[in-house]
Each structure stands twice: as C-alpha cells, then as structure tokens.
Amino acid sequence: MTNESQGEFLGSVEEHLLIHGIKPDDLENVRKFGAAIGDRMPEYIRHFYAWLETRPDYREYFHDGDLLGRVQSSQIDHWQSFFDARVDEAYLATRVQLGEAHARIGLPLPSYFAGVSQSFVIFTEKLYEGGLSPEEHAASMISIVKLLNLDTTIVVDTFSKLVAEQFAEQSMALAEMSTPVTAIWDDILMLPIVGIIDSNRAQDVMAAVLAKIMETRAKVFIMDISGVAVVDTAVANHLIKITKATKLMGCECMISGLSPAIAQTIVDLGIETGDVRTTTTLRDALEVGFATIGVSVSRA
Amino acid sequence: MDDLSGASLGQFSLTLIDGCVVATIQSDLHDEVFRRFSENVLAKIEQTRAGALLLDLSNVYVLDPRDFESIRKIMRMTGLMGARSILVGLRPGVAASLAELNADLTGVTAMGSVEQALQAIRGR
Amino acid sequence: MLRTTPARDQSHVHRIKSELDLSVALAQLRKWSMVNGFDAPGATRLVTAASEIGRNILKYAGKGELRYRPVAEGRKTGVEVAAVDQGPGIADIELAMQDRSSSSGTLGLGLPGVKRLVDRFDINSSPESGTHVTFRLWKR
C-alpha cells in the first residue's frame, strides 16, 4: 500500500522543490541553521512534549510508553533529516509515511498543524542561541518556512488520500451488507455473503432469511461464505445461530465456500460447529440440497 | 378430521390427521398448562396409536428457553412411546430468539407447516 | 553534523473504536500480508487471529489500537501483531488462557484458540496499564 500510494501522486523531487520555490541556497540556509542548533537537537523532544502535555488530545494519542518511545525517536530522525536538508526520494518517502501514520491513528489535521508550528517555535526560539549573522538568520527563517511547507504539503496530501481511501473502503463494506436472499429453486434459498459479518449484519441476515423461509416455506437454505473476509469465533457463532434458527423453521441450512484455510482456523480456534452441514463449494451444497428436496439432477 | 378436545380450555387443541396427532398450542405453556397438555397428548397418542406428533407452534409468538425445554420434554416422552415428533410452524421471531439464546437442538426435527410435515411422514 | 537517514518505522497502527474500524484494519492487514509475502492460508490465519484479539478490544475496553509490523528472527520472517487497550485489564490471565470448550459455542476471550493459530503468543494485563496481547506469525 505504501509503495502504491507513493507512485501514484508523489511527483519528482525537482517538482516539489519548484512548487515551493526552494533553491539550493535555501537548503544551504536550513543546514546552516541546523548546524547552529547542533547538539541541542535532542532537547527538542523535551520542549515538544512539555507543550503537548498541555493539549487536551494528548492522552488520547500518546497513552503508552512503548509507542511513545518509538514516536519520539522517529521525531528526532524526522527533524534531523529536515535540517540535513537533503531533499531526495527517501526524504519525500518519510513525509508520505508520516501522513499515512497520522491518517491511520486518525490524528486530526489541526493537531498536526499545531505540532508543526510549535516545532518551528521550539527550533527558532528555544534551541537557537545565536551563531548566525542577522542576515544569515533572516534568510534561514524564510528557507525553513519554505521547507516546512514542502513537508506539510506531502503529509496533508497523503493524509487526505488515505482518509478518502478508508472512507471508500468503509462505504464498500457497508454497500456489501445488503442481504439478497434468493429462491434459486423450489424449496431452495441461497444467500452469498460478501465482506464482513458483524453483529448488526448477522441480525439482518437472520431476519431476512427467516422472513423468506416464512414466505416461501423453503426446505433448504445455502449460505455461501466464500466471500467473507474473516471467520473468527464471533463470526462463526453468528453463522451457527443462523443455522439453528433456520432449522427451527424447518429449513436445513448448509454453509458452503469453506476454504481449507478456514476449516483449519475454525478447528484451531476450538469452535464447535455441531451438526452444521458445510461444503467447500456451492456446487456440492446444491447437490446435497437437491437430494434433500428429492430432485435428481442429471446431465442431458 | 376428528376433534379430540382439550380445546375447551382454549390453550391447546388436539386433532388427528392421517394417523398423526396434531397439537396446536394457543398460548404460553406455563407449568400447569404444560402438565395437562403433556398428559392429554400422551393419552391421545396411546388411544389413537398415532405414529407421529406434530407440535404446531404457529400461534406462539413468544417462547422462552424454559417453555422450549418443556416442549423438548414432551418430544422425549413421545419418543419413549415409539412415535416421532416434529415441531411445526415456528415463527421467525421465536426461531431467532431461541437461536440467539443458543438453545440445544440436538435431535430436534422441525418443519415449516403441518402439510410439509405430513408429506414428509408419508414419504417414509 | 547530522548524518542519520531516518530509519523507516514500519509499524502500522490502527485505532479501533468500532466493528467497522476493525474491519477496515483487517482488510488493510490482509493486503499488507499478501504484499509482504504471506501465502493465502497464512494470510487467513493472520487476519483471523488479529480479528480475535481486535474484537476483545471492543468487547472489553471499547477502544484501543491494533498494530502490526514486519519482524525477523534468524532465518524466519513474519509479522508481529499487537492489540493494545487501556481497558480494565484481565483479572485472571491464567483462567482466560484455559480452554473452556463449552457446548454453548461461546469461548470466552478466544485466547487459547489464538495461541494455537500463531507461532508466538504473549499477554500482559493490569488494571493500570490495560491489556497488551501480542503474537508473531512466521511465513511458511
């Protein structure tokens, strides 16, 4: 996923520098400023987290020490590469990654921007103690802002792209949730389940199937799960309940589409499937179904 | 068709169709009704030498696990008398709630309607 | 001077607050595992185990994080998945790890099952720090 997203929209290094009007001089200015801060770089973390603790969303996003440690060390890496100012593909890639990370944890963009401007304050007011001439200092301020703009552009671009992708994935998951129970033969109902089965969906399926059984008095119901994303304990229990309910209404439920991998995980998880009839393919289930209702199928 | 009474109580009725006792339950099966019901059912099976008992639950809208346990007991007793028993016409809501509560269905046979059940029995 | 190139942190973190969040995280984990060299049965095993521990977050803590990252040990390479929450913790881990083969079909936390699915399994829990469930699965 990371590689795909980089290729799709991330332009060349030159393009990015051009957009933000960054010239070799600017990069040199950023480096000079970095050199003036020198060894004090690691102090950034202390200042940054002192500020962060005053923010209400702090605990929400940085609650455990293990994660915090990793975040902090990658933050130092991030700013070191910033003041190294070697804008190459690897540099751009780390900014893409930052955008992805923020999108995944759902960090709001305002929090990110607040963090960036606070970092600017820390570097220019807290860690800088002189060393550049007034002209050099003024020039480096402008160059730092330009490079910061390049960084944030990539981060935000990636962020919005990924959020849009997640949104699309969620809508797709929801769209797949329709439950078209179909009578494919006299007395045989079928429902292919695609996507995810959560408790709401399981209830929808149950209600739709039972209503259809009531209406058609079907004797066989085939539920094909070859398109189901995950069969864990909870999902299996939902499926077992559906088979029980249909059985009580006089309709035998078969589950088709069990791959060998799913058969294995079901047994390893210790799920008791009882007397639920299962088959690997829909075809096998259909054959059993035809036998149950007393229809014999032969090739013409 | 032959009305075998019990219907006077308004809580259940027993009918003989094609050599099967069809017991239609009209209301909740609380303890006292259940005892009378099972006594009546078993007596009819003995009198008529019926080969099967069809428990028609199509008028039952609420069935808690205890009621279901009672029904299973009648089914076991029927089995001991050499007749098979079939649940008939469970409503979707009842089926769903029993499934949600993980009712044990080992050995339970259910059919959609009395006609289907009779057909299945004739088919044997 | 500052010479380090930033090491690419390859962990993926998903915040889990709803069943839908979990589904999206699992879909991305599946994609990731296929891109990273897991075969189809391996991916199923991985996603199923992740789903079990992710669901426990929702069930017992309401919200938390599902994380995964590539790991290597000697010649073996694979993935490490962690479910982390700030919930009340598990009072009796030993009890939670016992196989309760119940006929009712409910398996408690489902953790013994997860342990059978994966190559290495680890659990830490306390009322103060919540619950961390971690497992590793190697590529075949």
Side-chain angles (χ1 to χ4, degrees):
Chain A
M1 155 141 272
T2 307
N3 298 332
E4 285 167 27
S5 43
Q6 279 172 33
E8 275 171 38
F9 75 100
L10 197 60
S12 68
V13 172
E14 292 69 32
E15 277 175 71
H16 280 276
L17 293 175
L18 191 68
I19 291 168
H20 296 281
I22 300 172
K23 303 192 176 64
D25 281 356
D26 288 308
L27 298 175
E28 190 49 41
N29 293 339
V30 174
R31 267 175 234 137
K32 266 190 211 159
F33 189 89
I37 293 173
D39 296 344
R40 301 196 59 191
M41 180 72 72
E43 288 174 38
Y44 162 81
I45 292 295
R46 186 167 53 79
H47 289 295
F48 186 79
Y49 283 85
W51 165 75
L52 204 57
E53 273 175 44
T54 66
R55 306 261 316 168
D57 42 3
Y58 172 75
R59 234 189 100 75
E60 171 94 352
Y61 291 94
F62 299 98
H63 49 71
D64 85 78
D66 180 40
L67 179 67
L68 195 59
R70 279 193 284 122
V71 170
Q72 289 181 346
S73 85
S74 62
Q75 269 179 305
I76 298 244
D77 287 347
H78 177 90
W79 290 111
Q80 283 186 336
S81 89
F82 180 87
F83 286 109
D84 257 357
R86 266 167 243 290
V87 181
D88 53 15
E89 272 167 20
Y91 182 98
L92 300 186
T94 56
R95 273 64 191 165
V96 168
Q97 229 186 306
L98 192 60
E100 287 176 346
H102 287 173
R104 271 193 301 265
I105 64 169
L107 184 78
L109 281 182
S111 302
Y112 165 65
F113 281 119
V116 171
S117 70
Q118 187 60 31
S119 301
F120 180 74
V121 171
I122 292 170
F123 286 117
T124 58
E125 289 178 10
K126 301 226 160 93
L127 300 186
Y128 177 72
E129 289 181 311
L132 300 176
S133 71
E135 294 75 23
E136 280 176 325
H137 183 261
S140 67
M141 286 301 107
I142 294 171
S143 303
I144 286 172
V145 169
K146 283 183 183 176
L147 190 57
L148 271 182
N149 281 342
L150 181 148
D151 277 19
T152 45
T153 304
I154 298 176
V155 169
V156 171
D157 216 8
T158 313
F159 181 95
S160 16
K161 187 168 177 290
L162 207 67
V163 167
E165 222 172 76
Q166 286 182 355
F167 180 74
E169 222 157 309
Q170 289 184 351
S171 339
M172 212 155 66
L174 289 171
E176 282 166 352
M177 294 215 180
S178 62
T179 46
V181 183
T182 319
I184 52 167
W185 200 269
D186 293 343
D187 290 337
I188 301 183
L189 300 176
M190 197 191 85
L191 173 67
I193 304 185
V194 179
I196 55 173
I197 300 182
D198 59 14
S199 27
N200 286 331
R201 185 159 190 218
Q203 277 174 11
D204 290 350
V205 169
M206 173 102 84
V209 170
L210 298 186
K212 197 79 177 175
I213 293 174
M214 185 79 181
E215 177 197 325
T216 61
R217 287 290 169 220
K219 289 178 191 146
V220 175
F221 170 52
I222 301 172
M223 186 157 51
D224 188 80
I225 61 161
S226 51
V228 170
V230 184
V231 183
D232 65 358
T233 315
V235 170
N237 281 333
H238 288 315
L239 296 177
I240 290 168
K241 281 177 185 167
I242 292 170
T243 66
K244 281 192 171 182
T246 64
K247 182 182 175 182
L248 280 169
M249 291 193 65
C251 184
E252 193 197 348
C253 179
M254 276 183 285
I255 301 180
S256 69
L258 260 89
S259 68
I262 289 184
Q264 249 178 313
T265 53
I266 284 178
V267 172
D268 277 341
L269 283 174
I271 299 167
E272 286 298 332
T273 48
D275 48 7
V276 179
R277 243 168 129 180
T278 53
T279 63
T280 328
T281 63
L282 184 54
R283 191 204 156 95
D284 290 339
L286 265 176
E287 273 180 24
V288 177
F290 282 133
T292 306
I293 61 166
V295 171
S296 67
V297 184
S298 60
R299 251 175 260 272
Chain B
M1 225 185 261
D2 184 12
D3 189 28
L4 297 172
S5 111
S8 55
L9 295 158
Q11 285 151 328
F12 55 85
S13 68
L14 302 176
T15 323
L16 188 70
I17 306 176
D18 285 358
C20 300
V21 172
V22 180
T24 305
I25 296 159
Q26 310 281 6
S27 70
D28 296 349
L29 286 176
H30 49 84
D31 292 344
E32 197 202 335
V33 179
F34 168 68
R35 245 217 4 239
R36 220 173 34 238
F37 178 63
S38 52
E39 277 166 11
N40 276 277
V41 165
L42 297 176
K44 284 316 157 207
I45 291 174
E46 191 193 17
Q47 276 169 30
T48 60
R49 303 173 65 204
L53 166 68
L54 310 189
L55 286 160
D56 181 2
L57 299 179
S58 55
N59 289 317
V60 174
Y61 286 79
V62 182
L63 194 71
D64 65 25
R66 245 185 86 198
D67 297 335
F68 187 65
E69 214 16 74
S70 304
I71 287 175
R72 293 213 53 180
K73 274 189 202 158
I74 295 180
M75 294 173 85
R76 277 200 296 273
M77 295 169 189
T78 306
L80 288 172
M81 293 181 62
R84 49 191 304 228
S85 51
I86 300 175
L87 286 179
V88 166
L90 257 80
R91 307 204 63 87
V94 171
S97 62
L98 288 176
E100 281 305 334
L101 295 165
N102 256 314
D104 180 12
L105 303 185
T106 340
V108 172
T109 310
M111 297 274 173
S113 63
V114 172
E115 294 72 43
Q116 279 184 351
L118 290 173
Q119 231 171 29
I121 289 166
R122 270 188 236 115
R124 299 222 152 202
Chain C
M1 264 304 288
L2 305 160
R3 283 271 158 261
T4 36
T5 338
R8 273 192 86 150
D9 177 13
Q10 292 182 297
S11 13
H12 295 244
V13 180
H14 286 273
R15 290 178 59 71
I16 307 294
K17 280 187 282 194
S18 66
E19 281 189 285
L20 198 53
D21 287 341
L22 179 62
S23 300
V24 170
L26 295 174
Q28 299 204 345
L29 173 60
R30 185 184 287 276
K31 264 194 230 166
W32 179 93
S33 67
M34 301 300 267
V35 170
N36 284 273
F38 277 87
D39 57 10
T44 298
R45 198 164 267 268
L46 165 60
V47 174
T48 308
S51 179
E52 291 289 339
I53 64 174
R55 224 177 267 281
N56 281 342
I57 295 180
L58 293 173
K59 229 153 88 184
Y60 299 100
K63 61 178 180 180
E65 285 177 1
L66 195 68
R67 304 176 191 156
Y68 52 94
R69 62 186 180 105
V71 284
E73 204 180 276
R75 280 186 178 174
K76 293 177 287 190
T77 57
V79 63
E80 182 179 277
V81 181
V84 177
D85 68 56
Q86 297 273 288
I90 299 167
D92 188 342
I93 292 184
E94 239 174 79
L95 186 72
M97 290 311 297
Q98 269 171 24
D99 230 335
R100 276 178 283 165
S101 51
S102 68
S103 55
S104 65
T106 49
L107 285 149
L109 295 167
L111 294 177
V114 175
K115 199 174 172 183
R116 279 192 294 271
L117 280 180
V118 300
D119 293 312
R120 190 191 286 176
F121 181 89
D122 198 31
I123 177 166
N124 279 297
S125 185
S126 74
E128 297 77 34
S129 59
T131 303
H132 287 229
V133 181
T134 312
F135 69 76
R136 287 185 175 198
L137 190 68
W138 307 120
K139 289 174 214 170
R140 307 268 176 250

